[in-house]
């Protein structure tokens, strides 16, 4: 069963005749209107605008003239001829502007289900049809007691409902703005180097492994790896990160980002649909078409609703025809209804129109479209409405430790010095010895020294001794950096450092001894450290009332030390890599709704098991990442932001459903005449206005989501 | 947390750059470099 991407109706692919291929994907439609809406949004909107204006331009004057006549102000004796004039004016509105409702009714019958067009077509046709009969019968010589007509009602209702539809189209246009804005980011051409020459070619022709050049100020055409040059890149359009990112040889650059300062030579790694930009576009597109569970519920309610409404309308009409009119004569007269037939008609049309849940079709999609679009702007990719709803119900967030809460690579945590020199000396010699090392430990030490502004020398006679450490000559000094075995081999006593070593090792750190010229100089400890914003993010989540759990393979003692530092509620320690998904299941069996935050590729099973898997910045392969939410940036604050955005969007959806459904359903009894005892009936024109208003209010309410800003 | 037998660094098994099974035990490595050093002569470094 396929879903019509416009109105959400289920369409059987086997029997579907209305299909279209847009941007490479095949879509199925329930009606011509939906097909055309999807394939030609702008054309549709312009036509809609014309029809709306036409209907209201005819309807309102008709309304004014008719009211005047009813109140006896003018033209009272000319009812007959005026009716013909009204007929001529309104019939085009009914069948040209109102054609879509007839087409929709026809398609509903074909699909053997009910939709809103049926209600509107029935209501307005009843008004028009009755009025036509009343217009033409006297001309054919039949005498009628009451020649009031309701052409104005039909025209104004059509106009107001079209106005609502126009607003819905604006909403859809603006919401898919997010996708269109993303698509506009893609450059059209690339400067590739072929046969030793630079050529400018269409970006579609760039192939993997092509070498291309990006000058300062230009946009990167496709994803690639830097071969030559270094620069700062503005990646805000993809990641939402406003600060330019510095990159150099070997680093990955993303297509559609802007190269700011340096000339780059890049080898293409991903082109076409595989680029990160296109993966994001596809993700957002899929998210906007996906039916959220609450929308499916609304669709089912709607399908059952329409036949019920028709039944109520006919029932009310019959009641008023046979009993109600005479029972409430003064009330009816007050509304200009002079016969039981016109009273029945009035009530029937009012019920049909007020009950029409016109905005229901857009209540959920409008909010989801704006919400997911807003998320994409900020590097939060939400894959569909169902994840929004689950995020709304979250009780617990589980963070994987290594690489999620922590940076995933070692940094220097402690520098201790003995007898010789100062801490700075210890760091300086160790870093100089490790200069140019590609090993994570060496890299950590060099980074620490560079950050402290220490001047490093190149090492001489460098030797790496596996299982022991390294040996080198720095300036005039002999340097040894490694473990106890290395020192023992060189005959250097390390008793002075033993207590320090044991303390650091108990903390789960990697501790290295440094010896200079045969004497123990210091100890350097290295460990994985928390990311910059981990503490902040955990705190924000707990403030939101969400329980935070840390999941790790560390031993209990090390795990609890980090847990205290980052501020989580509880720790699941000593979890083997294959056990992560089971741990999530255990928590879920306790009734918790879990979001797991982890690596989108390595933690895929656990992310899939959780209610909402949040994949944290694994690189440019967003399509491959498991989980309902993919965060492009490697910033834990985005976890908080994505949960807040999801909750805000779900609130919007519920508000929209209320505006689309609740208040007009509440008015059905009034339209049927329940308050006639109090002298109140519902004028069908007011019903039409209420319906137009519900579309407008749903759309404008959804638009306010664009103001979302994360609160941390 | 496991210790890389070549450089002594503490490594999270679920994030290890590489691993090798030898003599009924799995060894985890901090980087490709350490793994290849081990693999060239496992008997020397295995514990």
């Amino acid at each position: 069963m396929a879903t019509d991407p416009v109105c959400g109706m289920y369409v059987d692919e086997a029997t579907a005749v209305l299909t279209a291929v847009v941007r490479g994907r095949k879509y199925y439609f329930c009606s011509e209107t939906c097909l055309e809406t999807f394939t030609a949004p702008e054309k549709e909107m312009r036509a809609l605008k014309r029809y709306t204006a036409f209907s209201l331009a005819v309807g309102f004057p008709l309304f004014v003239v008719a009211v005047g006549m009813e109140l006896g102000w003018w033209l009272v004796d000319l009812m007959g001829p005026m009716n013909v004039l009204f007929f001529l004016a309104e019939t085009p509105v009914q069948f040209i502007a109102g054609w879509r409702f007839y087409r929709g009714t026809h398609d509903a019958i074909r699909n053997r289900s009910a939709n809103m067009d049926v209600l509107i077509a029935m209501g307005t046709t009843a008004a028009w049809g009755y009025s036509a009969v009343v217009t033409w019968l006297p001309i054919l010589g039949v005498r009628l007691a009451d020649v009031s007509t309701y052409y104005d009602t039909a025209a104004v209702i059509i106009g107001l409902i079209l106005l609502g539809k126009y607003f819905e189209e604006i909403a859809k246009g603006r919401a898919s703005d997010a996708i269109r804005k993303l698509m506009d980011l893609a450059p059209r051409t690339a400067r590739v180097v072929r046969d030793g020459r630079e050529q400018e070619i269409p970006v579609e022709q760039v192939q993997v492994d092509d070498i291309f050049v990006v000058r300062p100020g230009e946009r990167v055409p496709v994803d690639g790896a830097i071969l030559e040059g270094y620069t700062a890149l503005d990646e805000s359009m993809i990641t939402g990160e406003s600060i330019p990112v510095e990159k150099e040889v070997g680093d990955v650059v993303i297509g559609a980002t802007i190269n700011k300062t340096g000339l780059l030579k890049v080898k293409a790694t991903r082109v076409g649909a595989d680029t990160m930009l296109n993966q994001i576009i596809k993700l957002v597109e899929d998210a906007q078409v996906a039916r959220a569970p609450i929308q499916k519920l609304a669709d089912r309610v709607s399908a059952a609703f329409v036949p019920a409404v028709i039944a109520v309308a006919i029932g009310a009409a019959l009641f008023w025809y046979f009993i109600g009119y005479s029972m409430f004569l003064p009330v009816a007269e007050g509304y200009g209804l002079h016969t039981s037939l016109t009273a029945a008609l009035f009530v029937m049309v009012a019920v049909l129109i007020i009950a029409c849940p016109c905005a229901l079709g857009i209540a959920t999609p409008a909010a989801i479209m704006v919400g997911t679009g807003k998320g994409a702007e900020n590097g939060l990719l939400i894959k569909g409405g169902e994840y929004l709803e689950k995020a709304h119900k979250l009780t617990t967030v589980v963070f994987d430790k290594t690489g999620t809460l922590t940076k995933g690579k070692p940094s220097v945590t402690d520098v201790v010095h003995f007898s010789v020199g100062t801490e700075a000396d210890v760091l300086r010699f160790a870093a100089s010895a490790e200069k140019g090392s590609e090993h994570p430990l060496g890299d950590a030490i060099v980074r620490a020294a560079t950050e402290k502004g220490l001047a490093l020398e190149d090492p001489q006679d460098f030797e790496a001794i596996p299982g022991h450490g390294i040996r080198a000559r720095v300036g005039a000094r002999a340097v040894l950096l490694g473990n106890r075995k290395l020192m023992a081999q060189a005959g250097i006593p390390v008793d002075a450092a033993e207590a320090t070593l044991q303390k650091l090792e108990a903390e789960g750190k990697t501790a290295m001894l440094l010896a200079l010229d045969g004497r123990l100089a210091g100890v350097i400890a290295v460990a994985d450290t928390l990311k910059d914003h981990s503490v902040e993010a955990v705190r924000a989540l707990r403030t939101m009332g969400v329980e935070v759990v840390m999941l790790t393979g560390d031993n209990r003692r090390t795990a609890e030390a980090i847990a205290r530092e980052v501020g989580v509620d509880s720790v699941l320690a000593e979890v083997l890599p294959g056990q992560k998904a089971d741990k999530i299941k255990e928590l879920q069996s306790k009734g918790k709704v879990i979001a797991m935050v982890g690596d989108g590729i390595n933690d895929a099973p656990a992310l899939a098991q959780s209610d909402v898997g949040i994949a944290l910045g694994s690189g440019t392969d967003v399509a491959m990442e498991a989980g309902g939410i993919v965060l492009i940036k490697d910033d834990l604050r985005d976890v908080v932001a994505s949960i807040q955005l999801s909750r805000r969007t779900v609130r919007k959806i519920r508000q929209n459903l209320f505006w689309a459904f609740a208040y007009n359903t509440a008015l059905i009894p009034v339209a049927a005449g329940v308050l006639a005892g109090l002298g109140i009936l519902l004028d069908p024109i007011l019903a039409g206005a209420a319906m137009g208003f519900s579309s407008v209010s749903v759309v404008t309410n959804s638009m306010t989501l664009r103001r979302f800003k994360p609160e941390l | 947390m496991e210790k890389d037998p070549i450089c002594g660094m503490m490594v999270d098994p679920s994030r290890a750059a590489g691993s090798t099974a030898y003599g009924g035990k799995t060894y985890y490595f901090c980087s490709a470099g350490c793994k290849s050093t081990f693999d060239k002569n496992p008997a020397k470094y295995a514990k």
Side-chain angles (χ1 to χ4, degrees), chain A residues 403-416:
Chain A
T404 301
L405 282 174
T406 66
K407 292 180 181 160
K409 62 179 191 178
S411 304
V412 170
T413 54
D414 304 88
V415 181
V416 180

Side-chain angles (χ1 to χ4, degrees), chain A residues 400-404 410 439-441 465-469 485 505 508-510 552-555 577 580 598-599 602-603, chain B residues 1-17 28-34 37-38 44-45 47:
Chain A
D400 195 56
K401 192 203 80 157
T402 309
T404 301
H439 192 278
L441 289 176
I465 309 162
H468 291 72
K485 281 201 284 196
E505 276 157 12
K509 297 174 181 168
T510 305
T552 176
D554 279 359
N555 63 56
K580 286 184 186 171
D599 181 295
N602 293 316
D603 291 329
Chain B
M1 285 296 232
E2 300 284 332
K3 208 173 202 183
D4 180 321
I6 303 300
C7 64
M9 198 172 118
M10 300 301 281
V11 176
D12 183 335
S14 66
R15 293 279 183 273
Y28 297 93
F29 304 99
C30 67
S31 58
C34 283
T37 304
F38 180 90
K44 186 168 171 201
Y45 304 112
K47 295 187 179 106

Side-chain angles (χ1 to χ4, degrees), chain B residues 18-33:
Chain B
S19 66
T20 303
Y22 182 80
K25 198 165 174 260
T26 308
Y27 297 89
Y28 297 93
F29 304 99
C30 67
S31 58

